[in-house]
Amino acid sequence: MTISNNIAEVKARIAAAARRAGRDAEEISLLAVTKTHSVEIIETALENGIELIAENRIQEAEKKIPQLAESYKEFHFIGHLQSNKISKLIPLKPALIHSIDKFSTARKLNDYLTLYNLHQDILIQVNTSAEKSKFGIDPAETVDFIRKISLLTNLHIKGLMTIGRFTSNQAEIRSCFKLLHDLFQQVKTLKIPFTEMSFLSMGMTADFEIAVEEGANIVRIGSAIFGARKY
Ligand SMILES: *Cc1c(COP(=O)(O)O)cnc(C)c1O
């Protein structure tokens, strides 16, 4: 399979899942997760209709992103953000940081942005699977966390992100995504100042169809586009 075939197939599967859920596939963004893949391979994806790309490690992103000869619409950061890497991430101009889950890091990010008079769109990462190994805020603490983060003037909350449970049990995966969608609706109705619920980022190669059925409007796909990762 070539990358262009893979992209076509992923898009078709997103469209089919959207149709099953009575949704318009146009409202779902395909975010290509390019971690571990070379600049050349990323350029091939960009030549074949990919517009949004994501990395999860700042050290890797700062090497690759500035080298891309092919233009992209948006770069997203989806990995765990360490406060000592903030000054390396922001110059890469991430359109969206998906992974805010710690107040101290968010405050440092806001301080950095304020210093340079910059603004940053973010998502709040929620741990919907209750797996200790996963990053993300506890669902029960999410509303309070959002209220606190919303007061940081240079950060703009645009939605929620989660990683589904790693299991072959489809019902368990679906319940993670349902939980995030419920939280998304709940936060919307609270009308928290300076907080928008526009993006629901959920679904990866193994589970993106379930995520689309449960309301995702950003799916983060690596392996189904680029093949297995070699570390
Ligand atoms: C690697 C990664 C993905 C993509 O994973 P695939 O299973 O290869 O599609 C999505 N989201 C996050 C946060 C990731 O780190």
Side-chain angles (χ1 to χ4, degrees), residues 14-15 17-19 21-31 52 181 184-185 188 198-201 211-219:
I14 290 170
R19 217 175 302 120
R23 300 183 59 201
D24 181 358
E26 293 293 306
E27 71 186 41
I28 300 154
S29 295
L30 170 56
L31 179 59
L52 313 179
H181 188 247
F184 184 79
Q185 296 297 357
K188 245 186 207 177
S198 302
F199 300 116
L200 192 52
S201 167
V212 167
E213 287 168 12
E214 298 303 330
N217 60 14
I218 301 179
V219 291

Side-chain angles (χ1 to χ4, degrees), residues 31-35 37 204-205 220-227 229:
L31 179 59
V33 178
T34 54
K35 64 190 188 199
H37 300 293
M204 304 167 40
T205 292
R220 310 178 307 267
I221 313 287
S223 325
I225 294 173
F226 300 106
R229 284 180 289 275

Side-chain angles (χ1 to χ4, degrees), residues 6-219:
N6 291 348
I7 292 168
E9 190 179 311
V10 167
K11 284 184 175 170
R13 286 168 63 189
I14 290 170
R19 217 175 302 120
R20 284 196 295 281
R23 300 183 59 201
D24 181 358
E26 293 293 306
E27 71 186 41
I28 300 154
S29 295
L30 170 56
L31 179 59
V33 178
T34 54
K35 64 190 188 199
T36 78
H37 300 293
S38 69
V39 167
E40 213 181 355
I41 288 178
I42 302 168
E43 286 168 347
T44 304
L46 292 169
E47 284 160 8
N48 285 280
I50 290 295
E51 299 183 315
L52 313 179
I53 55 175
E55 290 280 338
N56 73 332
R57 287 172 169 277
I58 291 164
Q59 244 169 325
E60 187 180 338
E62 72 174 327
K63 284 199 194 104
K64 286 156 48 180
I65 300 300
Q67 279 189 55
L68 290 169
E70 206 58 46
S71 63
Y72 54 91
K73 202 164 148 198
E74 293 178 4
F75 160 65
H76 292 203
F77 184 71
I78 60 173
H80 178 62
L81 180 58
Q82 290 169 289
S83 53
N84 62 355
K85 298 272 169 60
I86 288 169
S87 62
K88 297 204 183 296
L89 175 61
I90 299 306
L92 301 175
K93 300 190 179 4
L96 195 58
I97 298 175
H98 289 228
S99 43
I100 298 298
D101 67 352
K102 209 170 154 205
F103 187 74
S104 59
T105 309
R107 195 178 46 205
K108 283 182 189 140
L109 176 58
N110 188 64
D111 288 346
Y112 181 90
L113 294 162
T114 306
L115 193 62
Y116 293 96
N117 195 22
L118 297 169
H119 289 257
Q120 180 64 55
D121 288 348
I122 59 167
L123 303 181
I124 303 302
Q125 183 171 355
V126 182
N127 183 346
T128 55
S129 64
E131 288 165 297
K132 287 270 188 312
S133 59
K134 291 235 176 86
F135 291 113
I137 191 94
D138 188 309
E141 293 165 13
T142 300
V143 170
D144 284 345
F145 183 71
I146 288 175
R147 287 192 195 280
K148 268 175 81 178
I149 300 286
S150 71
L151 301 176
L152 299 172
T153 53
N154 293 42
L155 293 183
H156 305 285
I157 301 172
K158 297 291 177 182
L160 305 179
M161 179 273 222
T162 200
I163 297 174
R165 185 180 284 263
F166 288 134
T167 171
S168 54
N169 184 326
Q170 306 263 305
E172 281 181 22
I173 297 168
R174 190 177 295 278
S175 73
C176 293
F177 296 152
K178 269 193 200 303
L179 175 58
L180 196 72
H181 188 247
D182 287 350
L183 265 174
F184 184 79
Q185 296 297 357
Q186 186 195 343
V187 174
K188 245 186 207 177
T189 59
L190 292 174
K191 298 196 190 315
I192 299 169
F194 311 112
T195 302
E196 274 174 43
M197 285 290 116
S198 302
F199 300 116
L200 192 52
S201 167
M202 54 188 197
M204 304 167 40
T205 292
D207 55 19
F208 71 88
E209 285 146 310
I210 303 173
V212 167
E213 287 168 12
E214 298 303 330
N217 60 14
I218 301 179
V219 291

